[in-house]
Amino acid sequence: MPLLGMGSGRLAILRDSATDGHRTRLLVLFALLVSPWLGVARAMRPSRAAELRQETVGMFYHGFDNYMRIAFPEDELRPVSCSPLTRDPLNPRNIALNDVLGNYSLTLIDSLSTLAILASAPPDSRDTGPKALGDFQDGVAALVGQYGDGRPGPSGQGARGRGFDVDSKVQVFETVIRGVGGLLSAHLFAVGDLPIIGYDPRTDEDVDIQKHPISWPNGFKYDGQLLRLAFDLAQRLLPAFYTQTGLPYPRVNLRHGIPFYHNSPLHGGVALDPKPAEDSPEITETCSAGAGSLVLEFTVLSRLTGDPRFEQAAKRAFWAVWSRRSSIGLIGAGVDAEEGNWIGGFTGIGAGIDSFFEYALKTHILLSGHELPNLTVPNQVHGENWLDPNQIYRPLTDEDNSPDSFLQAWHHAHAAIKRHLYSGLHHPHYVNAHMSTGSPQAYWIDSLGAYYSGLLALAGELGEAIETHLVYTALWTRYSALPERWSVRDGNVEGGLGWWPGRPEFVESTYHLYRATRDPWYLYVGEMVMKDINRRCRTRCGWSGLQDVRTGEKSDRMESFFLGETAKYLYLLFDWDHPLNKLDASYVFTTEGHPLILPRKKGGNRVPKPSPGKAAQPYFDAHFTTTCPRPPALPPLTGSATAARPDLYNAATLIRLHQIPNIHGIPDESVVNSGGRRAKTSLLAKPTANYTHFPWTLPPSMLPTDGVCIVSKQAQTSVIEFPSISQQPAGSAFNLMFGGHNLVRMGSEGIAINSLSSLKLTLLAEEPPETFERAWRVYSIGNLPLGRDEKVFIGRDVLQDMSDPLFHRIRDSVVVDLLLQIEIPEPSREQNSTSASREPSRETQTTIEPDKPIVGGTNLFSSLFQQITSVLREPTKTTLGPEPMPKPEYRYIELPAITPVGVGAAPLPDIREAPNPHTAGYIESLSWQRIFFADQACEGKLPDTAPRGHQVIVMRRGGCSFSEKLANIPSFAPNRNALQLVVIVSDEKDEEEEPEDESGAWSFNFIRPLLHEPQRTPAGIPRHHPIAMLMTAGGQEAYEALRTTRSLGIRRRYHVESQGLKINNLVVL
C-alpha cells in the first residue's frame, strides 16, 4: 500500500541489520493500519459537512421567513422588489404564472415537508430541529386558518375561503405535484407515518385522530386537516379527467371546473360557456409528463381516504400515455387530450416528458409489497358536485394496477432511451430525436433532464448515472448554474434560453448519487452549488432565479420549488444520519420533492394476496437490471472514485470547460479537510487559465497523482458522394410525385432510395458491443439524419452496374429467397377483376400475396416492395384497337432459404436470377416448372424419373440425415431439364429460436444444415456432379404452397460493403 510523500510509493527495505528489518516491518504494519484512514482524510470531514448543513438551513430560512413576513398568504415572493407575487388577472394567458399560482398559499404548502425534514436536524447551538418542528406546526395552523379544516361545517370556512374554492384556472399537473403532494406529505409527517426525530404522535394505530386529535405545543389540535384539504383540492381537479382518451385536460378552474372544454363528456356535448367570437378555442394539448405524473399523489390520497377515484384516474392517464408509444418504444412530448394524437414527433428525456419515466419506476417502489387497490367506492352520501370520471371507462385490470407493470414500463422505456437517445460520442449524453424513427432532431440538453441521472441511480443503472451526471456537473461549473437549454453542437446557450429559476433536478441527482456511492465527490458538488447560489441569487428578501446565467441578471421571483426541493435535497445531502436517509421502507420523493409512503399496519409486513388472473403474475425479465450494483470502490488515498475516473476530462471538454477562465480560488486543502471555521473560497484577483478539474470546490488532493485520461470517443465517419446522372427516367411516377428527388420515407422503417444520383451518404463506424462486429451504419442521407434502427432500402438493379471500392454490392453466400409463382384460380380472378370500363392497371395483372405466415421475415420486405413500387411504376399505356386475350394471373410468395455446410455441400446452379415480381410486370414463367415431391425420402431409392424428369425435388426434414436423403436420389445425366436443386422443408418445431439481433425482421435466424459426408449415389458411388440443396422453413404450409407452385425461381440476397466493412442498415431489395 503506497504511503504519502514517498514518491513512487515503494518501501525501501533495509537489509543492513536486524534493527533495520524490524523498522521496515513496522512501516509496513503502519501503512496497513492507516491506509483506510487516509481515504477518509481525503473525504469531507463530518465537521465540514455540519457547517454546510447549517448553511443550507440558513439558506432555507432566509427564503421562508421572508415569504411568511412579506408574501403570505399569497402564493410566492418577489425577492428583488420584496413584495408578494400573485396571479396575473389582467392577462389570463400568462400561463407561466397562472398555471402554477392558484391563490392558495403555494410556497407554504410546498415548504411544509422541508420544515418537517429540518425538524430531524441533529442537536446544534441554533436548536434547528425544535425550531423547524415548531415552524412546521405553526405553518399547518396558519394554512388551516386561511382555508379551513376541510369539513363541511363552520370549521371548514377559513379566512380566504372554504377549502380551495377559488376562481383560479390552474394546470392540473402543477396543482397535483405542488398542492396535493405537499399537503399529503405534510400530513404523513404530522401523523408520524414519515419520521421526525423526537416526534412520536401515535402509539396506537387504531386511534381515530378525528376523535382523538394530536395536540401540539402551539395549541393546535391536528385531526387530519391537511388530508381533508388535499382531498378537497384533488376533487376540484377531477373534471379534467372527463375526456374520451383517459388523458386529462391540461387545465381546470378550481371553482367552475372545465366549462371551457366544450367537447368533454362531462357536458354531454353542450357548450356551457359561450365565448366571444374573438376568443380562440381552449388548448387541449397536454404533455406526457403532465398526464402521466399524477400516480404517486393520487394513489396515496386514495389509499389514505379509501376513495379509489383518484388512483384509478391517474393510473388510467399513465397507461393512456404509455399505450401511445411508438413502435420503437419512445413517447412524445405533446399529446392532444381529446383526440389522443401526438402533437409533433419530438422526444427526449427533458421538458414535457421527464417525470413520466420517474413515476413509472417510483410507482413500482411505492406500491411494492402492497395489495392491489380496493375499487369499491365508499358507500356514503355524495354531494351534487361529486364526480367520478372512471365511470365512463372500463375498469382497469389487475395488470394495470400491479406494481410490476410499472416496473416493466420503466424497463422498456429506459431500454428505448438507451438505444435511441443515448450518445456515447465524446462523453455520454442524451440527444433529442423523432419518436417514430429515433433519428436525431436536436443536439441540446436542458436543465430539467438533470433529474435522469438520479433516477438511474434509483433503478440500479449506476454506471450510466455516474457518467451522465458528469456532464451536468461540468455545465454547472461553467455557468455557476444550469441554463435552461445548452447546445452540445454549438457549445453555447441554445436559442437564448439561458435562465435558471432555481431548479432542483441537478441537486436531486447529486443527492441520490451520493446515497448510492458514498463518494465524497458529490458532497463537493453540493458545496459548489450552495456557494454559487449564495453568490449569485441571494437578495435582501430571499432567493431569486437567474434570468440569464451568462450575465447574472436576476429574476424577481422565488419559485416555490426552491424551498420545497432545492434546499431540501441540499440539506439531506449533508445530513448523513437523517432518518429518511436510513428509512428501510418503500417511500419515494415525488417529482416536487415531497416524500410519500403508503403506511403499513403494525405487526409486520403482510404478503400481498396473489391474484388468480394471469395478468397480475409477478414480472421478471433477466434482460433488465433488477438489483442494485455495488458502487465503485473508493481509492485508498484520494477517497473518490469519481474524481479518479479516466473520462472525467472528457465531460469537461464536451462542455468546453477547458476553454473557460477559472474565476474561482483553489480551496485551502488543509482548512477544508480540518473542517475549520476558516474554510472559505474566495474569487481570484486574476483568473487562472482554465478549469483543470471540477467541481471547482474539489480539493486537488482528491485527484489521483497517477491519474490518466482516456481518449474521448469520436465518430469515425465516411462520406460518399455520388455523381449526378442526367439520364434519369424523367417520366417516372416517382419523379413526378417527388419533384425528381431520389428518396421516399417508408413509414418508421426507413428510407427507400430510387436512385443514387447526386446523393451524399454519411457512414458511421460502429464496433462491439454496439454491434456484433465492426461495421458501418448509414448515419445520414444528405442533411437527413437516420435513427439507429432505421433501414435504407435500395433495389438491386440500382447497384447492378456499380463498381466502387467505397460502395459495392456483395452477394450473400448463405441465404437466398425461393420465389413461388402460383396461378390464381379463374373464380378468384373474376371476383378480383375490375370493371371493363376502367382502365386496366398493373395490379390486376400480377397479384402479390405477402402476408402469408410462411413468408416469415420477408413479410416486411414484400410490404415495403408494394409501398415502393406503388410510386415507382410507370403510367399504364393506353391500348388502341381490340383488347388482347386475358393472361393468367399469378400471386407470388417468397420463402427465405439457407444453404448447407459440410463436405457434401454443392454450389447453387448458375441460372438466371428470378425477376422482381413487384416491378417486372407480367412474368410468363420462372426458371423451373417440373417439381417432384418426395416426402421425407428416407425409405430407399427414389424413382429414376424423379431426378431425370424433374428440375426440383422437394423433401420434408426429418426421418434421416440430410446426406442420406441426397443419397436416395438416383444417378442422372445433368442437363437443363434434369434435377438442379433439392429443397428441404423444415417444420416449425425443428426451427431453432435464437436471440434476434439488431437487424430484427431483416435477419434470418436458422441453423444451416450439415452434409457431413461427400454426396454419393444409392449404389454408394461418389457423385461426379453433386446436387445443390437449400432448406426453408414453414412446415406443412410451405410444403403445400410448393405443391401448388406453377414455377419456381431463386432470388439472391445482397449486402453492400464500403472499405471492407458491411453497411449494416442498408437493405438490398
Side-chain angles (χ1 to χ4, degrees), residues 716-718 763-765 775-778 1058-1059 1061-1064:
Q716 180 184 348
T717 60
S718 176
L763 307 182
L764 175 69
W776 295 110
R777 173 169 66 89
V778 179
S1058 179
Q1059 305 173 62
L1061 295 180
K1062 181 181 178 181
I1063 304 178
N1064 272 342

Side-chain angles (χ1 to χ4, degrees), residues 695-1008:
W696 62 263
T697 49
L698 187 73
S701 61
M702 292 191 69
L703 297 171
T705 56
D706 58 350
V708 296
C709 300
I710 61 172
V711 177
S712 62
K713 181 179 179 181
Q714 302 295 331
Q716 180 184 348
T717 60
S718 176
V719 178
I720 304 174
E721 296 192 44
F722 297 93
S724 175
I725 303 175
S726 58
Q727 292 83 14
Q728 296 189 51
S732 71
F734 190 96
N735 287 331
L736 291 175
M737 293 179 62
F738 296 94
H741 293 289
N742 301 325
L743 307 177
V744 60
R745 174 164 290 284
M746 309 309 299
S748 61
E749 293 293 337
I751 304 293
I753 296 179
N754 178 49
S755 170
L756 293 172
S757 177
S758 302
L759 278 187
K760 182 174 76 172
L761 300 181
T762 302
L763 307 182
L764 175 69
E766 293 186 330
E767 300 186 12
E770 294 179 353
T771 184
F772 289 100
E773 59 183 358
R774 194 165 187 267
W776 295 110
R777 173 169 66 89
V778 179
Y779 180 78
S780 66
I781 304 177
N783 294 323
L784 178 67
L786 300 183
R788 187 167 183 177
D789 290 339
E790 279 195 279
K791 306 298 180 184
V792 177
F793 304 101
I794 187 169
R796 64 187 70 190
D797 297 337
V798 177
L799 303 173
Q800 187 170 5
D801 299 325
M802 177 160 295
S803 178
D804 189 330
L806 294 180
F807 198 83
H808 60 286
R809 184 180 73 170
I810 303 295
R811 176 184 288 182
D812 193 325
S813 61
V814 177
V815 181
V816 300
D817 289 313
L818 291 173
L819 185 63
L820 283 58
Q821 183 189 50
I822 301 174
E823 185 172 355
I824 299 176
E826 187 69 27
S828 299
R829 292 207 301 268
E830 292 177 358
Q831 293 175 7
N832 296 333
S833 63
T834 57
S835 171
S837 62
R838 306 175 95 182
E839 183 178 293
S841 65
R842 189 157 295 180
E843 282 82 347
T844 64
Q845 298 173 3
T846 304
T847 303
I848 301 168
E849 193 170 282
D851 298 325
K852 291 288 186 181
I854 57 174
V855 177
T858 59
N859 279 347
L860 288 176
F861 277 116
S862 301
S863 177
L864 285 165
F865 266 135
Q866 288 186 320
Q867 294 181 57
I868 295 171
T869 56
S870 65
V871 295
L872 292 181
R873 291 174 178 152
E874 298 287 345
T876 304
K877 297 180 180 180
T878 303
T879 303
L880 301 177
E883 293 187 4
M885 293 293 294
K887 297 179 180 180
E889 294 182 12
Y890 305 108
R891 64 185 178 96
Y892 294 87
I893 294 177
E894 288 179 302
L895 295 178
I898 196 164
T899 57
V901 295
V903 295
L908 292 173
D910 186 16
I911 62 168
R912 184 178 180 181
E913 185 169 315
N916 183 352
H918 303 266
T919 58
Y922 185 80
I923 303 174
E924 186 69 36
S925 180
L926 300 175
S927 300
W928 302 307
Q929 297 81 38
R930 292 185 295 277
I931 306 173
F932 183 86
F933 292 85
D935 201 56
Q936 289 187 339
C938 295
E939 298 179 358
K941 177 183 174 183
L942 297 179
D944 290 339
T945 57
R948 298 171 186 174
H950 300 85
Q951 297 160 311
V952 178
I953 294 180
V954 178
M955 302 176 181
R956 295 181 186 272
R957 183 179 180 182
C960 57
S961 69
F962 298 111
S963 295
E964 290 173 330
K965 293 177 185 292
L966 296 184
N968 286 333
I969 299 175
S971 300
F972 63 96
N975 62 75
R976 62 191 302 265
N977 294 318
L979 179 63
Q980 298 186 39
L981 179 68
V982 171
V983 177
I984 307 291
V985 180
S986 175
D987 292 333
E988 288 86 343
K989 63 182 180 181
D990 298 323
E991 297 171 19
E992 192 73 23
E993 291 187 5
E994 297 180 353
E996 191 173 276
D997 65 13
E998 65 180 14
S999 56
W1002 311 105
S1003 63
F1004 183 52
N1005 293 323
F1006 207 65
I1007 295 178
R1008 299 177 69 181

Side-chain angles (χ1 to χ4, degrees), residues 47-91:
S47 57
R48 178 58 184 153
E51 289 185 359
L52 294 173
R53 187 169 62 243
Q54 282 298 327
E55 289 181 23
T56 309
V57 173
M59 171 187 288
F60 171 80
Y61 270 113
H62 179 65
F64 180 76
D65 287 345
N66 277 294
Y67 164 75
M68 294 300 292
R69 178 176 61 87
I70 298 172
F72 180 78
E74 302 300 339
D75 284 316
E76 287 182 349
L77 168 69
R78 293 185 182 273
V80 177
S81 59
C82 298
S83 60
L85 179 63
T86 61
R87 293 173 59 84
D88 186 353
L90 301 179
N91 182 13

Side-chain angles (χ1 to χ4, degrees), residues 100-384:
V100 177
L101 307 185
N103 281 341
Y104 53 79
S105 308
L106 177 62
T107 297
L108 175 58
I109 293 176
D110 232 357
S111 300
L112 287 175
S113 62
T114 307
L115 285 167
I117 286 172
L118 296 182
S120 293
D124 56 34
S125 59
R126 303 178 185 177
D127 285 335
T128 299
K131 179 182 186 310
L133 180 59
D135 291 336
F136 169 77
Q137 294 169 344
D138 290 344
V140 173
L143 195 68
V144 172
Q146 294 294 324
Y147 304 100
D149 64 0
R151 287 192 170 96
S155 62
Q157 180 66 45
R160 301 195 88 188
R162 178 174 293 277
F164 299 102
D165 181 24
V166 290
D167 187 10
S168 297
K169 182 179 176 182
V170 295
Q171 190 185 87
V172 174
F173 169 66
E174 293 288 355
T175 307
V176 169
I177 65 172
R178 302 198 197 199
V180 177
L183 292 167
L184 288 174
S185 184
H187 166 77
L188 292 168
F189 278 112
V191 298
D193 289 328
L194 287 172
I196 298 177
I197 292 179
Y199 175 73
D200 187 13
R202 303 177 65 180
T203 57
D204 188 348
E205 65 171 358
D206 295 327
V207 172
D208 185 353
I209 62 172
Q210 296 195 53
K211 297 180 180 178
H212 304 281
I214 302 169
S215 298
W216 287 346
N218 60 357
F220 186 81
K221 296 183 182 297
Y222 186 75
D223 61 3
Q225 292 95 331
L226 296 180
L227 178 60
R228 291 192 295 272
L229 286 174
F231 183 84
D232 174 83
L233 182 56
Q235 275 205 127
R236 299 177 184 277
L237 304 177
L238 287 179
F241 290 84
Y242 278 86
T243 66
Q244 299 287 354
T245 61
L247 300 164
Y249 285 115
R251 295 173 181 84
V252 67
N253 186 290
L254 294 178
R255 176 174 292 168
H256 302 296
I258 55 168
F260 33 79
Y261 292 122
H262 297 175
N263 298 325
S264 171
L266 183 62
H267 306 322
V270 179
L272 303 182
D273 182 29
K275 298 181 296 182
E278 64 271 10
D279 280 4
S280 61
E282 185 69 24
I283 296 175
T284 58
E285 176 185 356
T286 185
C287 62
S288 296
S293 306
L294 313 173
V295 186
L296 296 179
E297 294 85 354
F298 271 18
T299 295
V300 171
L301 179 61
S302 284
R303 300 296 178 97
L304 293 179
T305 61
D307 190 330
R309 293 179 295 163
F310 309 100
E311 178 178 356
Q312 296 303 292
K315 286 180 175 177
R316 180 175 289 104
F318 178 93
W319 295 122
V321 173
W322 183 239
S323 66
R324 287 170 168 81
R325 65 190 181 278
S326 69
S327 59
I328 58 176
L330 297 174
I331 62 172
V335 61
D336 190 288
E338 288 187 344
E339 301 295 333
N341 301 323
W342 292 112
I343 300 175
F346 183 87
T347 188
I349 64 165
I353 309 175
D354 47 3
S355 55
F356 178 87
F357 307 124
E358 182 183 356
Y359 273 44
L361 177 64
K362 290 183 177 180
T363 300
H364 165 73
I365 297 173
L366 180 73
L367 296 177
S368 293
H370 293 274
E371 296 180 358
L372 295 179
N374 179 6
L375 304 182
T376 304
V377 178
N379 186 16
Q380 59 189 21
V381 178
H382 305 302
E384 61 179 5

